[in-house]
Amino acid sequence: MRVLFATLPEKSHLFCLTPIAWAMRAAGHEVRVASSPAFTDVIARTGMTAVGVGDDSNISSAMAQHRESQEVESVDWSELDPARLTYAQELERAQMGAWGFAYYNEPMIPDLVAFARQWRPDLVVWDPLTYAGAIAARASGAAHVRSMCFADVWVMKRQLFLKLRDEQPEALRQDPMAEWLGWHAEQFGGAFGEDLVTGQLTLDPLPERLSVPSDVRRVPVRFVPYNGPAVVPGWLAEPPARPRVALSLGAANTERYGGDYVSKGAILEALADLDVEVVAALLPAQVAELGTVPDNARVVSSVPLHALLPSCAALIHHGGFGSYATALVHGVPQLFVATAVADQILRGTGLRDAGAGLLIPHHAMTAEGIRDAVHRLVTEPGFAAGADALRREATGRPAPSSIVGELERLAAGSRLPGWSRP
């Protein structure tokens, strides 16, 4: 059968999808991966066939001009306690969400629908923010699946919002997501349905203790780390002489927001007198920002995180899903130094509550706080035990190859009539 993957032009989103795309290709299916034209080279380097759709609207420029947007309350989706939510706050969050999702998705929608109608996929797999994939699936009559690279705050928040909305007087009831997606569906002869938000199935890589419950149909899948093309350096063959601590701040903040939200140099300096070896796995642009590097630190570029972490006693990172999930499957205690955007506080809190890590909001970071947190992670055995328990849960989920049959059955039995052309 034909399988179309659709992703925003973000490496972390693509890299979460890649092992599933490999599994579908290895099972003999035709696979295409669609995103914006400038992202096709990144897709092609995963070994998949890329399709460029839409244009390269400069969202990076907008993000860099509004770095403070990661700290706006309405982009924090981590609060899921109904007692702490109000309709006014959740309506503002839904409005902000629809605006942000539109910024990413709208350049892709017309071309993605046209490609799907021409190529006729049997199944569309989309990352949880690529709603263009759901529209293209329904327009072409394909079954469609969300593949998570977040905790599923997106659906849970929507369910909580809809409950609050339904308690309001009729005149006050709004639904920004339904209005936005419904308008686009109408352009292709369709109408809004909840599956445009939830998919017909959700692939969830998180252990149950860290997952977000909802009433959507979900299938567990193992997270398989993929960090892009890389070469394992020779020095990794030598076991560390003292506890090794990795520092990784990902690519998105540097490439999209114009810089990291924490000081790399300050973190390295805070750990300079600890009896640890620090490996700072950074982008070339991040390395260029460093000054003097302490004697106990090694700065490297392009080292694959999944090759580095098995030798580590702890990982310091920015809250990105790739770093977080890679550490999960390797049983490495984690220190989140994160902004509040999306689900980062929720995931950091979940690790802390599971005894597998610690969380420091980036604006509360101090040298003493970083040093004390890392010292605890590498010396208190409870953190290693907590991380190992989560590792067993994470790696006990079915491998991507094991869910191919489920996806084949969905594609065969859950197709819907394609929307008629307007």
Side-chain angles (χ1 to χ4, degrees), residues 58-67 69 99 103 256-257:
N58 193 6
I59 192 169
S60 296
S61 176
M63 288 175 162
Q65 292 172 21
H66 298 283
R67 283 177 52 80
S69 64
W99 177 84
Y103 210 124
R256 294 293 202 184
Y257 282 93

Side-chain angles (χ1 to χ4, degrees), residues 133-351:
I135 293 171
R138 289 303 316 277
S140 63
H144 64 110
V145 171
R146 288 189 313 152
S147 183
M148 298 307 298
C149 54
F150 296 92
D152 200 0
V153 293
W154 315 108
V155 161
M156 194 65 239
K157 272 288 197 186
R158 176 161 178 79
Q159 292 178 354
L160 293 169
F161 166 73
L162 291 178
K163 183 177 180 181
L164 288 169
R165 183 205 60 176
D166 291 345
E167 295 169 354
Q168 308 305 310
E170 185 71 32
L172 297 180
R173 296 179 187 176
Q174 298 181 52
D175 190 345
M177 281 294 288
E179 292 167 10
W180 170 58
L181 288 170
W183 185 89
H184 282 287
E186 290 170 7
Q187 308 313 299
F188 303 102
F192 175 76
E194 280 298 318
D195 69 304
L196 294 182
V197 179
T198 66
Q200 294 170 301
L201 186 72
T202 293
L203 305 180
D204 189 352
L206 290 181
E208 292 303 318
R209 276 194 290 165
L210 302 180
S211 188
V212 173
S214 71
D215 60 9
V216 301
R217 179 185 172 197
R218 61 184 65 236
V219 168
V221 64
R222 186 187 312 163
F223 177 83
V224 176
Y226 172 71
N227 308 127
V231 176
V232 177
W235 56 265
L236 266 182
E238 298 294 327
R242 47 188 173 167
R244 178 174 285 164
V245 177
L247 168 65
S248 174
L249 299 178
N253 287 335
T254 291
E255 295 177 351
R256 294 293 202 184
Y257 282 93
D260 294 306
Y261 285 78
V262 296
S263 168
K264 299 163 284 294
I267 292 174
L268 295 180
E269 187 61 34
L271 304 178
D273 64 345
L274 276 187
D275 187 25
V276 297
E277 174 196 346
V278 183
V279 177
L282 304 174
L283 299 171
Q286 294 169 324
V287 174
E289 297 172 1
L290 292 174
T292 302
V293 175
D295 291 341
N296 68 337
R298 180 197 298 264
V299 178
V300 297
S301 293
S302 301
V303 63
L305 197 60
H306 63 274
L308 171 62
L309 286 185
S311 68
C312 292
L315 168 66
I316 307 167
H317 65 90
H318 62 303
F321 190 85
S323 301
Y324 158 83
T326 302
L328 271 184
V329 300
H330 288 294
V332 179
Q334 304 179 44
L335 172 59
F336 272 57
V337 187
T339 65
V341 70
D343 65 334
Q344 291 183 172
I345 298 301
L346 178 102
R347 287 188 287 106
T349 301
L351 271 183

Side-chain angles (χ1 to χ4, degrees), residues 7 52 84 171 208 392:
T7 179
R84 298 174 63 88
E208 292 303 318
R392 292 194 300 273

Side-chain angles (χ1 to χ4, degrees), residues 48-123:
M48 291 293 111
T49 301
V51 178
V53 291
D55 59 45
D56 294 311
S57 298
N58 193 6
I59 192 169
S60 296
S61 176
M63 288 175 162
Q65 292 172 21
H66 298 283
R67 283 177 52 80
E68 76 285 354
S69 64
Q70 285 208 28
E71 288 299 291
V72 176
E73 196 277 335
S74 56
V75 303
D76 178 358
W77 291 62
S78 290
E79 182 57 72
L80 300 177
D81 180 356
R84 298 174 63 88
L85 304 179
T86 68
Y87 178 63
Q89 289 173 327
E90 294 310 300
L91 176 59
E92 180 182 359
R93 197 179 324 278
Q95 291 168 333
M96 179 69 78
W99 177 84
F101 304 148
Y103 210 124
Y104 261 126
N105 281 269
E106 288 186 349
M108 299 170 59
I109 291 172
D111 282 0
L112 189 60
V113 169
F115 176 75
R117 282 177 162 169
Q118 175 269 317
W119 195 58
R120 303 292 299 172
D122 300 284
L123 176 69

